[in-house]
């Protein structure tokens, strides 16, 4: 987070029993921030009452406009995917060992021999995301699964910038074999100098942003009444787990075809996922659709 930009780096990976990466996909979304005339922090150029709908670097494809100034003539999405391919077959320690000094320049740019001519962008944040994925892995039976990342951004009210993130492993039929999802919130405020900053919040601990899933019971949802007057049985992370189980066996078309009333889905409500799920399901649908390179329609073929 900075006064002008919030950034979310996401990694989804499948690991074998030895901790080696079987498949991985990476992406990052950069969200420009500004301070309005009313003295509120907001996403730059976007009405806070509407979905931000921001594209990730991979989704932007050639529109990111790095290729023309790249020393190796490669667009940012190509470099991201090259690094994702590079980590396959390695443990997290292997990845770090292959890219730390002298594998990293001072700015985190990899200079590992295998990556020369392929990657010049900094990979430090992607490595941190991969490490986080490994530390928060769940057991799943997968076979030759594809991996996909989904990110959906919106303003929730006037001062909460929220990013829904999802990872999916799909089989050759495009059906979900395993999924994980989370919600990262940036509580926005304006400091004494008139710059965008993070407000005091349960989401921010010692300057570090904590996701809803990692907050666990600290999020404090279970046992309360939601905005519709309904009792909430499960904590947010428990509801996320219910959604993750619900999408197993479904493909992108089935997920995209789900319908909502006031942001809720009846089938998910039936399994006690009573939160407003429409936005987070857009991230899930993206992750499933993008689990094959052919699925990223906004990105040109390499």
């Amino acid at each position: 987070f900075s006064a002008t930009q919030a950034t979310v780096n996401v990694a989804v990976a499948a690991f074998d029993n030895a901790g080696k990466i079987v498949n991985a996909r990476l992406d990052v979304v950069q969200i420009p921030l500004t301070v309005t005339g009313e003295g509120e922090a907001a996403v730059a150029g976007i009405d806070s009452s509407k979905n931000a709908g921001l594209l990730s670097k991979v989704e932007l494809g050639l529109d990111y406009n790095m290729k023309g100034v790249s020393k190796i003539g490669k667009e940012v999405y190509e470099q991201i995917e090259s690094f994702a391919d590079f980590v396959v077959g390695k443990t997290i320690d292997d990845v770090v060992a292959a890219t730390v000094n002298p594998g990293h320049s001072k700015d985190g740019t990899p200079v590992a021999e295998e990556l020369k001519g392929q990657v010049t962008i900094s990979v430090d944040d992607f490595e941190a995301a991969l490490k986080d994925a490994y530390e928060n892995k769940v057991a799943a039976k997968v076979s030759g699964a594809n991996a996909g990342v989904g990110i959906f951004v919106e303003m929730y009210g006037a001062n909460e910038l929220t990013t829904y993130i999802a990872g999916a492993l799909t089989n050759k039929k495009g059906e979900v074999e395993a999924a994980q999802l989370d919600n990262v919130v940036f509580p926005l405020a304006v400091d004494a100098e008139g710059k965008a900053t993070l407000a005091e919040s349960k989401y921010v601990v010692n300057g570090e942003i904590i996701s809803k899933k990692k907050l666990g019971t600290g999020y404090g949802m279970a046992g309360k009444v939601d905005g519709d007057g309904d009792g909430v049985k499960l904590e947010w992370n428990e509801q996320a787990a219910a959604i993750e189980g619900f999408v197993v066996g479904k493909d992108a078309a089935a997920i995209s075809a789900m319908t909502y009333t006031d942001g809720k889905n009846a089938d998910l409500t039936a399994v006690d996922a009573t939160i407003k799920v429409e936005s987070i399901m857009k991230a899930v649908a993206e992750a499933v659709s993008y689990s094959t390179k052919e699925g990223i329609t906004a990105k040109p073929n390499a």
Side-chain angles (χ1 to χ4, degrees):
F1 182 89
S2 72
T4 57
Q5 182 172 275
T7 304
V8 181
N9 292 270
V10 184
V12 56
F15 303 90
D16 65 15
N17 290 334
K20 291 185 177 181
I21 299 169
V22 177
N23 202 338
R25 286 299 111 190
L26 309 166
D27 207 349
V28 54
V29 63
Q30 294 176 319
I31 307 156
L33 300 174
T34 189
V35 175
T36 69
E38 291 75 33
E40 292 184 343
V43 176
I46 296 173
D47 187 331
S48 63
S49 66
K50 297 178 181 178
N51 164 47
L54 294 168
L55 295 178
S56 69
K57 286 188 178 181
V58 172
E59 287 177 300
L60 280 167
L62 293 173
D63 289 338
Y64 188 75
N65 291 323
M66 173 182 277
K67 193 165 189 171
V69 296
S70 169
K71 293 180 179 179
I72 58 174
K74 290 188 178 293
E75 189 50 80
V76 67
Y77 80 86
E78 295 175 295
Q79 298 194 40
I80 290 172
E81 296 211 331
S82 289
F83 185 68
D85 292 339
F86 165 80
V87 306
V88 172
K90 299 176 177 66
T91 65
I92 298 298
D93 288 342
D94 291 338
V95 173
V96 173
T99 57
V100 294
N101 291 326
H104 270 153
S105 63
K106 292 180 180 179
D107 64 358
T109 304
V111 291
E113 190 64 33
E114 291 178 71
L115 293 174
K116 286 184 177 179
Q118 301 296 318
V119 180
T120 58
I121 59 173
S122 172
V123 297
D124 283 359
D125 290 334
F126 285 136
E127 287 182 353
L130 282 165
K131 182 179 179 181
D132 193 61
Y134 183 73
E135 291 175 348
N136 292 279
K137 63 186 179 299
V138 296
K141 292 182 179 180
V142 297
S143 53
N146 298 306
V149 171
I151 310 171
F152 188 77
V153 182
E154 67 181 2
M155 288 295 297
Y156 190 79
N159 9 339
E160 281 194 2
L161 169 61
T162 185
T163 58
Y164 300 99
I165 58 178
L169 301 179
T170 63
N171 57 31
K172 292 181 179 180
K173 295 180 181 179
E175 299 164 337
V176 177
E177 292 196 0
Q180 284 219 58
L181 52 91
D182 209 341
N183 188 359
V184 178
V185 176
F186 297 87
L188 300 179
V190 177
D191 64 18
E193 297 180 353
K195 297 179 180 179
T197 187
L198 293 175
E200 290 186 13
S201 167
K202 60 188 174 186
Y203 300 119
V204 184
V205 179
N206 297 324
E208 182 179 349
I209 297 167
I210 308 297
S211 72
K212 285 185 180 179
K213 179 172 276 187
K214 289 183 180 178
L215 277 169
T217 56
Y219 184 64
M221 171 181 280
K224 294 186 177 180
V225 176
D226 66 16
D228 296 327
D230 299 322
V232 180
K233 294 181 181 179
L234 302 181
E235 192 51 78
W236 195 95
N237 63 307
E238 296 173 315
Q239 297 199 36
I243 298 169
E244 292 163 355
F246 176 84
V247 299
V248 170
K250 296 179 173 59
D251 60 16
I255 295 169
S256 297
M258 293 172 63
T259 58
Y260 305 90
T261 302
D262 294 328
K264 298 183 178 184
N265 173 268
D267 292 329
L268 285 171
T269 300
V271 294
D272 292 328
T274 55
I275 56 175
K276 292 187 176 181
V277 295
E278 186 171 6
S279 294
I280 201 163
M281 293 308 294
K282 290 179 180 178
V284 175
E286 272 193 3
V288 178
S289 296
Y290 295 173
S291 61
T292 59
K293 289 185 180 180
E294 294 78 13
I296 307 177
T297 55
K299 186 202 73 177
N301 292 326

